[in-house]
Amino acid sequence: MDKFAELGADIALLWGTYASRYLNGILNTLILAVAATLVGCLIGFLCGVLNTIPHDRRDPVVKRFFLGLVRVVVRVYVEVFRGTPMVLQAVFIYYGLPYFTDNAVAFRGTTGIWIASLIVVSINTGAYMAESVRGGILSIDPGQTEGAKAIGMNHVQTMTSVILPQAIRNILPQIGNNFIINIKDT
């Protein structure tokens, strides 16, 4: 029992000495996780929607080329940021980005660390959310799109009024999971 009493005394001493720092760290973690999750959801939503815009052989060549290019860029973004550890991304963005931009983007001081952290966690979350949004959109029954087209809706109306409300309902649990992951990662 003596060892447990000593351990309790050590913990009480540490808490008494550093309580404000612990609480400040918790607050900073929550602020960063919330902000990065929101920004990452916006990035993921944009990438997921862009990745699901339909096209076929009857469309103009310019539209097919542009959509193909967008899909390649989104796919590379998703694969790179989902396939590399967040710590590696943080090192590259914090130390490497200023090097490649001739110090045009230098993360100095506390504000720089916050900005770099927000960028890293947001783009990482955006890559995961892009796949969640794409999957949520593809999970909606094709009959929903056919029904919307049958009553005269164009693609934008179909997406905003029929598909996205259902898809967002389907991906809400994943948004919560990403928020929890961001709390752990920050």
Side-chain angles (χ1 to χ4, degrees):
M1 262 328 238
D2 272 351
K3 289 190 180 199
F4 289 120
E6 288 177 29
L7 181 62
D10 290 344
I11 291 173
L13 177 64
L14 287 173
W15 181 256
T17 306
Y18 300 109
S20 64
R21 290 185 182 186
Y22 288 138
L23 294 174
N24 190 34
I26 291 169
L27 178 66
N28 289 338
T29 295
L30 291 174
I31 290 170
L32 181 59
V34 168
T37 301
L38 291 174
V39 173
C41 283
L42 292 174
I43 294 169
F45 184 77
L46 178 68
C47 290
V49 169
L50 287 175
N51 216 6
T52 58
I53 296 174
H55 64 78
D56 60 13
R57 293 191 178 271
R58 294 175 293 200
D59 289 336
V61 175
V62 175
K63 178 182 177 185
R64 286 186 292 158
F65 173 77
F66 180 70
L67 286 176
L69 181 64
V70 166
R71 286 185 178 160
V72 166
V73 169
V74 169
R75 176 66 31 219
V76 167
Y77 160 69
V78 167
E79 292 300 322
V80 166
F81 285 98
R82 286 184 71 183
T84 56
M86 192 184 295
V87 171
L88 179 65
Q89 296 165 18
V91 167
F92 177 76
I93 288 175
Y94 188 76
Y95 294 111
L97 196 59
Y99 177 76
F100 287 113
T101 58
D102 293 331
N103 290 327
V105 179
F107 302 111
R108 294 190 177 97
T110 305
T111 304
I113 292 172
W114 271 95
I115 292 170
S117 301
L118 182 63
I119 290 170
V120 169
V121 180
S122 295
I123 59 177
N124 187 279
T125 301
Y128 282 95
M129 285 307 302
E131 286 299 295
S132 298
V133 171
R134 185 184 68 81
I137 290 170
L138 295 178
S139 73
I140 305 303
D141 186 71
Q144 298 286 320
T145 303
E146 293 168 6
K149 299 280 185 200
I151 62 171
M153 290 184 162
N154 62 27
H155 178 71
V156 174
Q157 291 170 328
T158 301
M159 287 299 284
T160 58
S161 299
V162 178
I163 303 299
L164 287 178
Q166 296 177 68
I168 289 171
R169 183 193 69 210
N170 290 345
I171 65 171
L172 278 177
Q174 184 58 33
I175 293 171
N177 288 344
N178 280 337
F179 175 64
I180 291 167
I181 289 168
N182 285 344
I183 289 174
K184 293 191 301 184
D185 286 346
T186 56

